[in-house]
Amino acid sequence: MSNDRAKTNHRFHWQGRDDQEDGEKRYRLHHVVKSVETLTALANPAPGTPPSIALLGFETDEGVQRNKGRIGASQAPDRIRQALCNLAWHEASTLYDLGNVTTNVSTTSKALEENQALTAEIISRELDHAPLIVLGGGHEIAWSSFLGLAQNLTKHDKTPRIGIINFDAHFDLREYRSRTDSQTLQPSSGTPFSQIADYCQSHQLAFNYLCIGVSKASNTKALFERAEQLNVHTLLDEDMLFEVTPPHLQALEQFMDNVDHLYLTIDLDVFSAAHAPGVSAPAALGLSPEIFYPYFKTILKHKDKLRLADVAEYNPNFDIDGRTAKLAARLVWQIMTALSETK
């Protein structure tokens, strides 16, 4: 796929509150984000220049629909941007918006797969210049994110040690390939980590996958057996409802110590529906932000390893008072702030 196809749309206009009486100390995100087609055209930064960070949107409902979920996630990237606009910005880093990749399923039955490959190409290209945060979209974005990261890293190291940390009520390890003529399986929002596992096996890469917040009620026995076969590290939601335990944080630290690069993905359905009602599959229990945050903060302390993050499964159709959008935006803000801090 040539780079002339690796383009995005820029419909969103960053705007918001402007307290001009506060001068340069008034800055909010809408003041500092720059919309660009690509980071490759930007000049090489001089030593000591504040870091750059880029956003990329992935507009699609197709993976969720294939997984028999409630559609609406295609609206998520711009709704999250809208929630980001008025958040105060305290850092000196340069923030870029690469626009959205859109899946148009009316053109071809393989539109999702084609745009996942396109998104991976963009991610691989832009990671040469800045870490990325991808705004989903369904959790099928995880396949694009990992593929783009792996393609970028293997340009320099044939066997990079990549750690995947997924906050999610679901393993997303469903089968995506038809084994018999009677089956009609295909990739969806429920399959990305199966796709990643197969990619790792075929490219001689270790499959290092930690899934935090998994619900036994939302994953079948077959999925738990699949996770065990793949040596997936698991923290169950029912073990995280009341307190943050030192052994869990130690397990997280050990996981990160054993890899060189981190990919963080947050499926918003890991949170209780009280905090994140705007998702395809709201959680009856789920995590509270208070329980989530110490794990999140621990990961962000390893910002030197964090190459890529994404937030998935926000569905504005089912949100209440923008509650889920605000949560997603705050998580993105926290990641950008951590990546902005210089050593």
Side-chain angles (χ1 to χ4, degrees):
M1 187 179 297
S2 61
N3 280 341
D4 61 352
R5 287 202 60 231
K7 296 181 180 179
T8 56
N9 69 71
H10 285 268
R11 292 189 300 270
F12 186 79
H13 179 58
W14 290 85
Q15 58 185 343
R17 178 168 174 162
D18 191 7
D19 301 315
Q20 295 192 22
E21 68 273 16
D22 293 330
E24 293 185 358
K25 296 180 180 179
R26 74 187 190 279
Y27 288 153
R28 301 172 187 270
L29 280 174
H30 74 88
H31 287 109
V32 299
V33 175
K34 302 177 182 179
S35 294
V36 296
E37 293 295 332
T38 176
L39 304 179
T40 58
L42 304 177
N44 292 326
T49 300
S52 298
I53 303 159
L55 297 173
L56 175 67
F58 184 68
E59 294 180 332
T60 180
D61 281 315
E62 179 64 12
V64 174
Q65 184 166 340
R66 290 181 182 183
N67 199 29
K68 303 179 179 67
R70 305 187 298 177
I71 63 171
S74 62
Q75 308 167 55
D78 285 352
R79 293 292 188 92
I80 296 173
R81 286 185 177 94
Q82 188 175 13
L84 281 166
C85 276
N86 278 329
L87 297 186
W89 191 242
H90 301 264
E91 311 301 328
S93 53
T94 305
L95 306 180
Y96 296 101
D97 183 0
L98 294 164
N100 293 339
V101 181
T102 303
T103 298
N104 185 356
V105 296
S106 65
T107 58
T108 169
S109 62
K110 291 294 184 180
L112 175 61
E113 288 82 355
E114 291 172 1
N115 279 329
Q116 283 178 310
L118 172 61
T119 304
E121 181 182 350
I122 294 171
I123 290 170
S124 177
R125 181 187 70 201
E126 304 302 339
L127 280 174
D128 281 338
H129 309 283
L132 265 62
I133 303 172
V134 186
L135 310 176
H139 212 180
E140 63 267 29
I141 185 55
W143 167 233
S144 300
S145 290
F146 180 87
L147 180 60
L149 176 61
Q151 290 174 341
N152 177 269
L153 292 174
T154 53
K155 290 186 291 187
H156 313 286
D157 179 0
K158 294 301 182 184
T159 56
R161 296 192 304 168
I162 304 171
I164 305 164
I165 301 176
N166 178 27
F167 286 94
D168 201 336
H170 309 91
F171 284 120
D172 289 342
L173 284 170
R174 294 183 182 278
E175 181 57 76
Y176 63 98
R177 295 170 299 182
S178 299
R179 304 293 185 179
T180 66
D181 292 340
S182 61
Q183 291 180 324
T184 55
L185 301 179
Q186 57 187 337
S188 73
S189 63
T191 68
F193 298 100
S194 282
Q195 294 170 264
I196 293 169
D198 288 346
Y199 179 91
C200 288
Q201 183 178 31
S202 64
H203 289 76
Q204 291 76 54
L205 299 177
F207 181 57
N208 300 305
Y209 178 27
L210 168 61
C211 195
I212 301 175
V214 175
S215 167
K216 289 185 72 174
S218 300
N219 295 268
T220 63
K221 185 176 180 179
L223 291 171
F224 271 93
E225 289 180 353
R226 173 71 168 155
E228 185 176 1
Q229 292 168 0
L230 292 170
N231 295 314
V232 175
H233 303 265
T234 305
L235 291 179
L236 296 176
D237 63 348
E238 63 192 56
D239 295 331
M240 303 173 66
L241 293 179
F242 304 110
E243 60 182 355
V244 177
T245 63
H248 286 169
L249 289 177
Q250 290 168 6
L252 174 58
E253 288 278 12
Q254 184 176 8
F255 178 85
M256 292 188 290
D257 287 343
N258 289 330
V259 299
D260 298 317
H261 311 279
L262 289 173
Y263 159 44
L264 170 63
T265 178
I266 303 172
D267 186 324
L268 293 166
D269 70 21
V270 76
F271 293 101
S272 164
H275 301 285
V279 295
S280 176
L285 292 179
L287 305 186
S288 69
E290 293 82 4
I291 294 294
F292 165 87
Y293 195 79
Y295 298 92
F296 185 47
K297 193 73 170 179
T298 298
I299 295 165
L300 296 185
K301 288 179 182 177
H302 293 261
K303 60 182 182 296
D304 56 320
K305 292 184 178 183
L306 184 59
R307 308 285 180 244
L308 177 70
D310 59 46
V311 177
E313 297 284 342
Y314 172 47
N315 189 328
N317 291 344
F318 303 100
D319 207 1
I320 300 172
D321 194 29
R323 193 180 303 167
T324 316
K326 292 173 184 176
L327 175 59
R330 181 58 190 267
L331 299 180
V332 172
W333 183 93
Q334 292 284 166
I335 296 168
M336 292 193 298
T337 297
L339 292 173
S340 297
E341 297 170 352
T342 56
K343 295 181 180 179

